[in-house]
Amino acid sequence: MEFEQNHIENFIEEIIVNDIQNGRIQEIKTRFPPEPNGYLHIGHAKSICLNFGLVDKFGGSTHLRFDDTNPSTEKEDYVQSIKKDIQWLGFQWEQEFYASDYFDTLFKLACHLIQEDLAYIDESSPEDIAISKGTPTSSGVASRYRNRPVAESIALFNDMKAGKIPEGAMVLRAKIDLNHPNMQMRDPIIYRIKFAHHHRTANQWCIYPMYDFAHGQSDAIETITHSICTLEFIPHRPVYDWFIEKLHLFPSKQYEFARLNLTYTIMSKRKLLFLVDNKYVNGWDDPRMPTISGLRNRGYTPASIRNFCHRIGIAKRDNIIEHSLLEFCVREDLNKIATRRMVVVHPLKLIITNFNDTVVWLDSSNNPEQPESGSRKLPFTKELWIEKDDFMENPPKKYFRLTPGQKVRLKSAFIIECTGYLKAEDGSIKEVYANYIPESQSGNDTSGINVKGTIHWVSIKHADAIELRLYNHLFTVADTSQIKDNMSHFINSRSLEIIPRAWAEPQLLNDKHVQHFQFIRHGYFFKNPEQPQNFYVFHKTVDLKDSWAPSKS
Ligand code: ATP
Ligand code: MG
C-alpha cells in the first residue's frame, strides 16, 4: 500500500504506514476501551475519532471493548449510554467485546505465570506492599512471600477464586524486578479479591484482574495491532510488553498520545460524577457538562465535535485547548445548518401608528446560507414586540437603533421611523411609536432610504411564549488542573440562567422536526426533542460571535 507522505497527519499515522510498509502488519485493528463507570466526555471523543478515524483512513477494523474489571463502579446504564454516544458521533464498531468475557482466559493466563514462577501470592498488607516497592531513587525490597513455592501460590490463588480468602488478605503479583528504574515493573499487583456484584458476571467472580493485566491481554486476545492510550500510560508500556512476551501472546503494541484538556471544564469521570451526585448539574447529560450527551443536549452536532477533534490534532505533549475553539467549531456548523427565526427576549411594545389593523404575511428566508431551505411567512401587524434595548430615549453617538426621529429597518419587513414613546409611572418606557414606510419592504424596497440599523421583532398577536436556558462555564477558572478535592470552591454559581418567557414568531413552534435554530441577533439555540409536549424549552448552544479566530496558515 502506498501512502502519500503529505496525507499523513500525525505520528500515529506515520507508525501505521511504516508498519504496513515493512510488513509488521497487513491490516490495522484498533479498539476503543471505555470503562463503563460514567458517561463519555469530549476527551473520549478525541480517542474515538482517532481509533475509528484511523480505520476509516487505512482500512481494518475497530473494536468496542468495555474495560469492565472494576465491578464496584460499573453499571449497565453506562454501557448503554456509551454505545449510544459513539453511534451518535457517527461511528460503528466492528464487534463489541467485554474484558469480563475474558475472565476465564485471564485466570488461566495468571495460573500459567505462576507455573512459570513469574507470579506469586503476596499476603503483605497494601501499605507494606507500597513501602516495599521503594522509591524512584531507591530500590524495592522483596516481600517474604516472593519465593514461596509455586504449588503454594497455585493453591492460594484457587482459594482466592473460590471465595475462601477475605478481601484484602492477599493479592497476586507478577515477579518482574524490584530494582527496575520504572516503578510499574516492581512486581505489579495483577489480581485482587473483591466481593462485589459485577454488572455482567454477577457473583461468579470474587477476584478481578488489575488494569495492567487485563488490558494488554484483552488487546492480544482480540489481535489488536495498535493499542492507543493517553500519555499517563507510558510507564505501563514495559509491563504491557512483558506480559505479552512471557505469555507468548499476539504482539499488540501500545502507543500514547496527549489527552484532551479543555479550559473551564474537567475531563475526569470521577470528578464529573461528583457534580452529578452533588446535584451541581441535572445529571450526566446536563447541557453544561462536557459529556457527549451534555453537548448533544446543548445543541452540538456530531460533525462539529468530529471537526473539533480533527482540528486539535494528535500530539505527544499535554496541553490545554481553549474552550472557545470547541464553540468556534459548533458555530461554524450551525451557521450552515441552523434555521433562522425571530425571538424577542426582553419585550418592549412597538406600535406602528400608520398601519391599519390587518395582518400582512411577509416572506423571510429560513437560512440564507442554504437557499434550498426556502422561506417562511412572518405576520406583520400594528403591534409588535421589539427588544427593550433596541430603543433608547437619550442614545449615545453611533446608536443606530430606535430613538425618536431615527429610522431603522425591521428585519425582513419595513423601514420605520420612531415618532414617540410613552413612559410608565416608574419612569420606564412603556411603549414606543413609529410610522412605517410602505415602499421600503425588504426584497422590494423602492424607498431609496438607507438605514444603518436592523432590529428583529415579532407580532404580539401571533407570538408564542417559550422558555430559554442560557449557559455559562461550569467552573470559574480556565486552568482546571488546580482543582483537586476542593471542586465546590471553583464551581460557577451562575452557570445557568433561565428566561421563563421569551416571545417567538409563530413558525418556531410549527417546526416540529427542526432542532437547531439561530435566533436572529441572539445566538444558536437547540430544541431538545425529548421535552414534554406544550412546554417549549430552548437551550442556548453558543453565541453568534466570539473573539476566537483560527490562525491563518
Ligand atoms: P476518566 O479519567 O475520565 O475516567 P479514563 O481514561 O479512565 O478517563 P476510560 O473509560 O478508561 O476513561 O477511557 C477510554 C479511552 O478514552 C482510553 O483509551 C483513554 O485513554 C481515552 N481517554 C480518556 N480520557 C481522554 C482524554 N481526556 N483525551 C483523550 N483520550 C481520553
Ligand atoms: Mg480508566
Side-chain angles (χ1 to χ4, degrees), residues 52-188:
F52 285 91
L54 289 170
V55 165
D56 285 344
K57 185 160 181 173
F58 297 103
S61 55
T62 307
H63 292 181
L64 169 61
R65 183 193 323 132
F66 290 98
D67 216 342
D68 55 347
T69 55
N70 189 5
S72 43
T73 54
E74 296 161 1
K75 288 199 293 200
E76 181 60 25
D77 169 42
Y78 294 141
V79 169
Q80 295 311 327
S81 76
I82 288 169
K83 292 204 279 191
K84 175 175 172 185
D85 289 349
I86 298 172
Q87 286 172 323
W88 179 77
L89 276 176
F91 298 105
Q92 185 56 54
W93 49 92
E94 190 90 351
Q95 285 188 66
E96 180 180 326
F97 296 96
Y98 293 81
S100 56
D101 287 341
Y102 310 135
F103 281 169
D104 267 317
T105 310
L106 293 171
F107 179 78
K108 285 183 192 136
L109 290 174
C111 290
H112 181 75
L113 282 181
I114 303 174
Q115 300 284 9
E116 299 286 307
D117 199 20
L118 293 172
Y120 59 98
I121 297 289
D122 195 338
E123 291 172 58
S124 311
S125 68
E127 299 76 33
D128 285 348
I129 291 181
I131 293 167
S132 68
K133 277 193 159 196
T135 67
T137 51
S138 65
S139 57
V141 178
S143 140
R144 62 197 168 99
Y145 301 102
R146 196 172 200 261
N147 286 322
R148 78 185 335 155
V150 165
E152 206 176 293
S153 278
I154 287 282
L156 286 171
F157 194 41
N158 277 305
D159 285 349
M160 278 170 62
K161 178 178 181 244
K164 295 181 188 164
I165 315 284
E167 218 168 283
M170 52 185 74
V171 291
L172 181 67
R173 292 178 74 178
K175 196 184 274 190
I176 307 182
D177 183 356
L178 286 162
N179 296 321
H180 202 285
N182 178 343
M183 297 287 289
Q184 304 295 333
M185 292 289 272
R186 295 187 186 175
D187 289 14

Side-chain angles (χ1 to χ4, degrees), residues 179 229 391 415:
N179 296 321
C229 57
F391 172 81
I415 293 175

Side-chain angles (χ1 to χ4, degrees), residues 75 168-169 184 192 194 306 321 326 433 436 493 539:
K75 288 199 293 200
Q184 304 295 333
R192 70 216 154 135
K194 202 155 200 160
R306 290 197 304 265
I321 304 288
L326 182 60
Y433 308 109
Y436 86 114
S493 58
H539 303 266

Side-chain angles (χ1 to χ4, degrees), residues 7-16 30 32 42-55 57-58 91 226-231 254-261 305-319 321 325:
H7 288 157
I8 296 178
E9 295 189 49
N10 55 56
F11 71 97
I12 293 190
E13 294 193 1
E14 208 165 294
I15 291 168
I16 288 175
T30 61
F32 175 64
I42 180 82
H44 293 115
K46 179 177 179 182
S47 173
I48 292 169
C49 289
L50 175 61
N51 280 295
F52 285 91
L54 289 170
V55 165
K57 185 160 181 173
F58 297 103
F91 298 105
H226 297 80
S227 173
I228 305 166
C229 57
T230 43
L231 295 180
Q254 175 183 307
Y255 302 92
E256 308 86 9
F257 71 105
R259 65 188 295 117
L260 170 67
N261 300 303
I305 296 176
R306 290 197 304 265
N307 193 357
F308 169 75
C309 292
H310 190 242
R311 254 173 222 258
I312 56 177
I314 301 299
K316 279 191 204 176
R317 216 172 290 156
D318 275 324
N319 60 359
I321 304 288
L325 176 60

